[in-house]
Amino acid sequence: MTVAPSLLVEGLAFAYPDGHQALFGVDLTVAQGDRVAVLGPNGAGKTTLVLHLNGILTGGRGTVQVAGLPVVKANLQEIRRRVGIVFQDPDDQLFMPSVREDVAFGPANLGIRGPELDERVAEALAQVGMAEYADRPPHHLSYGQRRRVAVATVLAMRPEILVLDEPSSNLDPASRRELADILLSLPITVLMVTHDLPYALQLCPRSVILDGGVIVADGSTYDLLCDETTMAAHRLELPFGFNPRSVAAPAG
Amino acid sequence: MSGGHGHHELYVERATVVHRLPPHCKLVAVLAFVVAVISTPRSEVWPYLVYAAALAAVAAVSRLPATLILRRMVVEVPFVVFALLLPVVARGPRVEVFGFSLSESGLQAAGILLAKGTLGVVASIVLAATTRPRDVLLGLQLLRMPQALVQIMTFMFRYLEVVLAETGRMRVARESRGFRARHLGHLPVLAHSAGALFIRCYERGERVHLAMLSRGYTGRLPVLREVSAHSGQWAVAAILPAVAVLATASAWVLA
């Protein structure tokens, strides 16, 4: 018996109502337990792709399936449980008055109540090392802590796949490393949209490059980062002084 | 730039009977108290002393220092200014006070307005100092306040600091380029800032909505804590409004 891939995107094309076409036929398969980075320059269509994964944007051509379930209107509630999106600005993601209520928001929308809900919240906060902050208001946390709580808010929904939009942005090096440790410890499929190439190399054995609304490269992160021609062709640049060959290939 | 936490905390941590009362009981009590106060007949003055004494007793039981309450009464200032205008602008028989000719009815109206306003403000201060903001929201939800209003207030509470921080950053950015508002001619710059702030808030609202939809939002904020009040707690909460209602009722009978 074969397990359905966590994510199966086929021929996805999408134009915004103003006529701007962002995706021109994206094909992407992410197997269960994979950690995949989506790299690409600004305006490549990365955010548009992310918003298709849980059915916020629909109506173009092509299909998206999450663990075998097609993203269509009738399945939206279950799709949104299965796809946990962590948005770039944690202040957008944490909208409830306290950390506990925010983490509980998702599972409560799934109809979970009482002790089971408490258990979900406690478990998700423990996974990101934020258990003792449950009763704090989000605006009293540091930026790195808010990012971790944002991850917990989707973990509490026990998703099939965790989708992170620029997870390392605005983090200081220590918070960045802490978040990496947390993400590496999660036994879950991860799709990470990022400009942070060293972070992609550290966390994701596989990467795809999205440019001009199509996937133009798909392979091991290490090989992609070492392929100067492909990198330059898609406006991807390594930070000054960073040589992927000097780093051991990531585990996983 | 994220400093300045806690400047907007109205809640004062204490372990008192008043702090422990369920939020919806306190909300109903404050509302009933205010209604009783504003229904006081015009001719009577003594009920205000009863109200003030009752409220002072609640503040004392809540162990709130008088200085704290006095400091927070600053919010009433614009209202006071308006009340002070009344004796000057109202018509009718005039009286001489320190050489000023003031309207008698205006003076009386101003006095009553001030008394009622002050009592309402102090009651709200005590409520805010003894109830956490999110408990107030929970109380409103339990009292069947329309969802849309509860949600707006919830987000207001959550995003107040975010918006203030954004405003602060914009001010720093303006002043870093040598701008300081010195006269009315600078108003357009401030207006542009306000417009930019509005657009940023609007865009944030859209992003927050996306994040909510992504976690299965269907139009209602889930009630996550079951809070119920037993009759004993309702009885305790009823003491303050009961005193006020009694005073009002007797004033009407005696008047």
Side-chain angles (χ1 to χ4, degrees), chain B residues 26-247:
Chain B
K26 281 188 268 192
L27 282 165
V28 171
V30 168
L31 185 69
F33 174 77
V34 170
V35 169
V37 168
I38 59 176
S39 337
T40 315
R42 285 190 78 110
S43 53
E44 303 299 319
V45 174
W46 64 266
Y48 293 103
L49 301 175
V50 178
Y51 306 144
L55 206 49
V58 174
V61 171
S62 318
R63 306 222 320 271
L64 299 174
T67 49
L68 176 124
I69 293 179
L70 287 174
R71 226 177 326 117
R72 292 186 179 176
M73 279 169 70
V74 173
V75 295
E76 209 191 341
V77 166
F79 185 75
V80 172
V81 171
F82 174 71
L84 289 179
L85 277 178
L86 270 183
V88 183
V89 298
R91 292 147 189 269
R94 318 289 286 185
V95 287
E96 289 280 321
V97 180
F98 301 123
F100 293 100
S101 163
L102 298 176
S103 154
E104 207 179 311
S105 64
L107 214 50
Q108 195 195 16
I112 291 174
L113 201 62
L114 263 186
K116 288 179 177 174
T118 308
L119 287 165
V121 167
V122 174
S124 313
I125 291 171
V126 172
L127 175 71
T130 59
T131 319
R132 286 197 173 83
R134 32 188 271 256
D135 289 338
V136 174
L137 294 168
L138 185 67
L140 292 171
Q141 208 164 357
L142 289 172
L143 292 172
R144 302 265 180 283
M145 182 157 192
Q147 267 289 320
L149 293 179
V150 174
Q151 292 185 18
I152 289 171
M153 293 170 77
T154 306
F155 295 139
M156 201 170 72
F157 167 61
R158 166 64 181 91
Y159 287 103
L160 181 66
E161 301 241 3
V162 175
V163 174
L164 284 177
E166 214 141 329
T167 316
R169 283 195 300 272
M170 286 167 77
R171 186 179 53 76
V172 169
R174 274 198 313 269
E175 292 180 2
S176 303
R177 284 184 284 157
F179 175 83
R180 278 183 55 211
R182 277 178 295 258
H183 55 78
L184 279 181
H186 287 147
L187 216 52
V189 176
L190 297 179
H192 280 302
S193 295
L197 189 66
F198 172 78
I199 289 177
R200 284 191 198 181
C201 290
Y202 181 81
E203 288 174 346
R204 182 178 295 281
E206 288 193 321
R207 292 197 305 271
V208 170
H209 186 234
L210 276 187
M212 293 174 74
L213 288 178
S214 298
R215 282 195 277 151
Y217 174 70
T218 51
R220 290 186 67 83
L221 291 184
V223 178
L224 299 171
R225 274 184 306 156
E226 298 302 328
V227 175
S228 58
H230 54 75
S231 48
Q233 289 169 317
W234 279 110
V236 173
I239 295 174
L240 173 73
V243 170
V245 167
L246 215 62

